[in-house]
């Protein structure tokens, strides 16, 4: 599926019960050739209302985090902009945790987004994003600090901005993750352009 077909398919999806309670599907946002792809968990109330991922206080914090490493959600070249998508495209009622069958129904949409964007790296944010992408039940604390891989794309694991609003002391850990992701993306970009010198 190309981008328009994928977007239309997500908007019309009725594969699980979430279609009955959503206001709209939250497809994704950002530059379709971005070097960074951010994967979150599921839309919340504001996302469901606006049709955009990561809005509200968590979204504002995410914007500040991205700016700290020279990235933005605003109009910019692909190397400075990100593409953001959620594991679930529809909001679970009362923001409850996603159910395994809901994640399974939505997974092909996310995998197709990844294939279309072809980013240098994926930043997986939050437990459900991390565990569904990596097919693991390990907690984020054990998965942080090393690079994982999905469909040949490196994956860096970190905490969700909403978690940081509740646990601000862990912002330093996320800063470490962002720096690791930045170093990884720079080295991959250099290797792609043939300008990298020395060992990876």
């Amino acid at each position: 599926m190309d981008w328009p077909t994928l977007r239309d398919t997500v908007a019309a999806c009725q594969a699980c019960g979430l279609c009955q309670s959503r206001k709209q599907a939250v497809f994704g946002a950002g530059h379709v050739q971005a070097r960074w792809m951010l994967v979150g968990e599921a839309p919340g109330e504001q996302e469901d209302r606006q049709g955009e991922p990561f809005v509200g206080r968590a979204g504002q914090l995410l914007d500040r985090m991205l700016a700290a490493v020279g990235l933005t959600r605003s109009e910019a070249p692909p190397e400075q902009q990100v593409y953001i998508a959620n594991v679930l495209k529809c909001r679970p009622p009362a923001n409850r945790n996603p159910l395994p069958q809901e994640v399974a129904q939505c997974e092909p949409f996310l995998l197709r987004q990844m294939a279309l964007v072809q980013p240098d790296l994926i930043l997986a944010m939050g437990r459900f994003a991390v565990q569904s992408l990596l097919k693991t039940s390990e907690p984020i604390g054990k998965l942080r600090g090393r690079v994982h891989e999905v469909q040949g794309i490196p994956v860096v694991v970190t905490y969700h901005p909403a978690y940081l609003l509740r646990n601000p002391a862990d912002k330093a850990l996320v800063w470490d993750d962002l720096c690791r992701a930045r170093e990884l993306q720079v080295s991959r970009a250099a290797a792609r352009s043939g300008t990298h010198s020395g060992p990876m």
Side-chain angles (χ1 to χ4, degrees), residues 104-199:
Q105 292 289 355
C106 254
E107 184 177 51
F109 298 142
L110 177 62
L111 294 178
R112 186 59 188 152
Q113 286 174 306
M114 290 162 51
L116 288 169
V117 175
Q118 296 186 315
D120 283 340
L121 70 93
I122 291 170
L123 188 66
M125 311 185 81
R127 179 163 65 97
F128 284 97
V130 169
Q131 292 180 346
S132 61
L133 266 180
L134 301 183
K135 302 290 188 265
T136 180
S137 59
E138 281 196 76
I140 289 179
K142 289 190 174 181
L143 296 167
R144 285 186 58 256
R146 61 187 196 268
V147 178
H148 307 269
E149 191 173 287
V150 174
Q151 291 195 330
I153 304 168
V155 177
V156 173
V157 168
T158 196
Y159 294 105
H160 195 282
Y163 168 87
L164 294 180
L165 292 173
R166 302 188 300 271
N167 302 274
D170 284 344
K171 285 182 181 179
L173 299 178
V174 176
W175 175 245
D176 289 343
D177 298 332
L178 287 171
C179 290
R180 180 176 298 106
R182 169 55 90 191
E183 290 168 10
L184 178 65
Q185 192 267 319
V186 168
S187 68
R188 282 178 63 86
R192 191 175 60 246
S193 64
T195 59
H196 187 80
S197 60

Side-chain angles (χ1 to χ4, degrees), residues 43-104:
E45 183 180 9
Q46 295 297 322
E47 287 86 355
D48 182 48
R49 186 175 294 141
Q50 298 181 36
E52 289 279 331
F54 284 97
V55 297
R57 289 178 63 220
Q60 292 166 8
L61 177 56
L62 176 62
D63 288 340
R64 294 195 295 272
M65 291 161 55
L66 293 175
V69 289
L71 297 170
T72 181
R73 285 202 270 183
S74 304
E75 285 296 315
E79 60 271 14
Q80 295 171 3
Q81 203 179 355
V82 297
Y83 187 84
I84 306 176
N86 283 319
V87 170
L88 287 193
K89 307 306 183 193
C90 298
R91 179 197 179 199
N95 293 350
R96 64 158 170 75
N97 290 336
L99 301 176
Q101 62 266 34
E102 294 164 352
V103 172

